[in-house]
Amino acid sequence: MRRVVITGMGAISALGHDAGSTWAAMREGRSGIGPFTNIPTDLLVIKIGAEVRGYDPAAHFDSKRLVFLDRVTQFALVAAREAVAQSGLNFKADGLGERTACIVGTGIGGENSHNEQSSRFYGDKNPRVHPLAIVRVMANAPACHVGMEFGLTGPSFAVVSACASANHAMAQAFEMVRSGKVDFAVTGGSEACVTVPTVKAWEAMRVTADDTCRPFCKQRRGMVLGEGAGIFVFEEYEHARKRGAAILAEFAGAGMSADAGDIVLPSVDGAAKALSGALADAQLAPEDVDYINAHGTGTPANDPTESKAIRRVFGAHADRLAVSSTKSMHGHALGAAGAIELVATIGALREGVIPPTANFIDPDPECDLDYVPNTAREKPVRAALSNSFAFGGLNCVVALKRT
Amino acid sequence: MSSVQDTIFDIIAKEAGIDRAKITPESTLKELQIQSLDAVQIIFEIEDHFKITLPDRDPNFDTESVQGLIDAVEKLVAEKAAAPSAQA
């Protein structure tokens, strides 16, 4: 069977505008959560989030181009440029683009453009809607613009599965490279849905925290909304080896499942099925895994359920695993979450450093694993999993190995 | 029965899909077997009906009685009447 490796990585998040600064903050246990600065907060009860701060679109795109790009697409492009540059591949030369898939997940799509046009229409009673509203809002816009920029003419589409969108997108890209359908993929996830109505909608569900995100700890009060993107270049292993590419990690497998139960409450069975599916697909024994980047939203429901699922699949080895939720630092970036968290997982594999679960106060008896509280830890990592469990009960766990 | 209580009983019965006759002020949401997502919808309908904002952002749905909810709503409605300019 063909092997798939990651040869390029890019990100933009509340922790930084590239993958390097995002990972550096995770290593330091520095949280990017704070008061909202990009939206008015007078109508909000929850006034905190994990925004991408200090971001200037004009620094990345000229005005002629910018008119086509919602913030969610801008983030995908910023991350994709970094990833492709790192890979050293020129997709427009040698016909590489024809053999490349471009699959980018998003949970919501062009929410900022949607909100802006709705606000003009209903709020300002302005009957004229921008002619590019449709192409800015559509959820496949990030995949389209990444493909257009790099000349990727293989299979290209968006994957939508709420908080598991990025992992599902990357799992799909992985399958295509492994099967030989393509030799490369540019893939990941992007999200930019911090608008007043979206924050109000999260408030109404009463699952967001008003202080900060404290996954797995007794004082946790919910999730904190984030935004950003993570994009990666996947490459068939022999191709990468022959050209002497710097390989960041092997993408070894993915496990997917659906709870087919409750629309919001997670299930141990569904999560466990995705975890064991990822191990089997990657041909890993539970004992081979040293780190799990948890879904770890910090909600009352997710964290004990996820902990029980890990214990069920890993048995006695669960106590030797390091498990952390980096959402404590970059917030919950929904359809980009799994991609930003892959930066953490790759960092742990490459550097032997486990990023911590920040903002941790006291342990919760319902969550009984080693969550690496507050301070990063040195620990060799041979293989690692990264979990995403979405609303709707859609689960996707990905497995990475050192090469 | 106060009108607030009457309305709250109506909302609970409708949103949770339960027999209105089963609801008493002493009932807890847990006893009425109301799931968390139904409870969130009940809170939303109450807030929307009375144009108030319930202060507790994560009420203890398991132990709180319907009477607790009625008291909280009556208090907010009275406060709103005393200060009509204040937006909920």
Side-chain angles (χ1 to χ4, degrees):
Chain A
M1 182 117 54
R2 285 157 51 106
R3 293 166 68 191
V4 181
V5 294
I6 302 173
T7 54
M9 166 168 77
I12 178 165
S13 74
L15 300 175
H17 294 186
D18 56 35
S21 55
T22 295
W23 168 243
M26 290 178 186
R27 274 188 68 134
E28 290 164 22
R30 181 155 49 80
S31 180
I33 294 168
F36 285 122
T37 57
N38 296 330
I39 55 171
T41 57
D42 49 316
L43 294 174
L44 301 180
V45 178
I46 305 295
K47 296 177 191 288
I48 57 158
E51 292 175 313
V52 172
R53 291 186 184 83
Y55 169 76
D56 176 16
H60 300 274
F61 308 97
D62 64 43
S63 57
K64 198 82 182 132
R65 179 101 187 270
L66 208 48
V67 74
F68 287 92
L69 308 175
D70 184 87
R71 187 172 170 93
V72 72
T73 301
Q74 294 174 37
F75 286 170
L77 281 166
V78 168
R81 286 172 179 176
E82 184 187 6
V84 172
Q86 185 180 35
S87 77
L89 292 168
N90 181 353
F91 290 104
K92 285 184 176 164
D94 308 322
L96 294 191
E98 286 175 33
R99 294 148 59 198
T100 305
C102 181
I103 305 173
V104 181
T106 182
I108 313 289
E111 164 61 20
N112 278 274
S113 300
H114 188 250
N115 182 54
E116 188 184 289
Q117 296 305 314
S118 297
S119 167
R120 276 165 59 97
F121 191 80
Y122 293 114
D124 305 342
K125 310 282 183 211
N126 182 337
R128 271 170 296 280
V129 175
H130 196 278
L132 297 177
I134 298 292
V135 296
R136 273 191 225 157
V137 169
M138 62 189 191
N140 53 312
C144 297
H145 285 282
V146 170
M148 284 156 61
E149 177 145 335
F150 299 104
L152 314 178
T153 57
S156 179
F157 48 85
V159 169
V160 176
S161 55
C163 318
S165 303
N167 269 10
H168 274 122
M170 296 188 292
Q172 182 65 41
F174 158 71
E175 299 273 11
M176 283 195 190
V177 177
R178 182 166 67 171
S179 73
K181 194 176 277 285
V182 293
D183 292 322
F184 314 91
V186 178
T187 182
S190 188
E191 201 75 85
C193 65
V194 181
T195 60
V196 171
T198 308
V199 175
K200 292 305 292 182
W202 283 103
E203 278 178 10
M205 274 196 96
R206 296 176 186 250
V207 292
T208 44
D210 56 0
D211 53 348
T212 189
C213 182
R214 308 182 188 280
F216 301 109
C217 102
K218 196 173 163 187
Q219 291 85 353
R220 70 184 182 279
R221 293 171 63 81
M223 53 166 272
V224 169
L225 191 60
E227 61 175 354
I231 300 284
F232 303 85
V233 174
F234 289 6
E235 184 170 356
E236 191 272 322
Y237 170 67
E238 288 299 330
H239 188 280
R241 192 183 58 82
K242 281 180 196 149
R243 73 182 179 96
I247 293 172
L248 303 177
E250 176 171 358
F251 196 105
M256 297 179 256
S257 72
D259 299 345
D262 194 275
I263 194 70
V264 289
L265 285 178
S267 106
V268 176
D269 290 347
K273 189 178 175 194
L275 282 160
S276 51
L279 292 176
D281 194 43
Q283 297 181 300
L284 289 167
E287 294 71 30
D288 298 331
V289 177
D290 295 304
Y291 171 56
I292 297 179
N293 186 291
H295 187 54
T297 52
T299 59
N302 174 82
D303 298 1
T305 306
E306 183 170 13
S307 301
K308 286 185 184 79
I310 290 170
R311 190 165 283 288
R312 185 191 290 177
V313 171
F314 285 85
H317 186 66
D319 291 314
R320 289 189 292 275
L321 280 171
V323 178
S324 71
S325 170
T326 49
K327 286 191 178 75
S328 56
M329 298 177 273
H330 53 69
H332 193 350
L334 310 183
I340 295 170
E341 287 157 27
L342 208 71
V343 172
T345 311
I346 290 170
L349 274 169
R350 293 180 74 201
E351 298 182 19
V353 173
I354 308 292
T357 302
N359 310 318
F360 196 96
I361 308 173
D362 296 312
D364 175 355
E366 292 284 301
C367 303
D368 59 354
L369 300 171
D370 174 3
Y371 302 109
V372 194
N374 299 322
T375 313
R377 185 187 303 160
E378 287 193 21
K379 173 184 172 159
V381 178
R382 297 160 297 159
L385 304 185
S386 178
N387 293 347
S388 287
F389 306 131
F391 272 172
L394 309 184
N395 312 303
C396 185
V397 176
V398 302
L400 298 193
K401 277 186 210 173
R402 268 212 306 255
T403 45
Chain B
M1 193 183 277
S2 76
S3 68
V4 168
Q5 176 171 320
D6 216 30
T7 307
I8 289 175
F9 278 21
D10 286 343
I11 290 172
I12 292 172
K14 180 166 179 286
E15 295 305 314
I18 57 176
D19 183 357
R20 195 180 186 285
K22 280 192 186 156
I23 307 168
T24 69
E26 293 73 37
S27 316
T28 64
L29 299 190
K30 190 177 184 179
E31 283 164 7
L32 296 170
Q33 296 186 304
I34 292 172
Q35 303 296 313
S36 67
L37 197 59
D38 287 332
V40 169
Q41 291 177 75
I42 289 166
I43 299 296
F44 168 76
E45 293 296 342
I46 289 172
E47 290 184 339
D48 203 39
H49 179 88
F50 292 103
K51 307 288 178 243
I52 55 171
T53 301
L54 286 159
D56 192 355
R57 50 164 292 285
D58 50 357
N60 194 338
F61 291 129
D62 286 348
T63 55
E64 184 137 320
S65 69
V66 174
Q67 188 61 54
L69 203 52
I70 294 165
D71 292 346
V73 172
E74 282 180 337
K75 182 165 167 281
L76 287 165
V77 170
E79 281 171 13
K80 191 165 161 257
S85 61
Q87 268 295 317

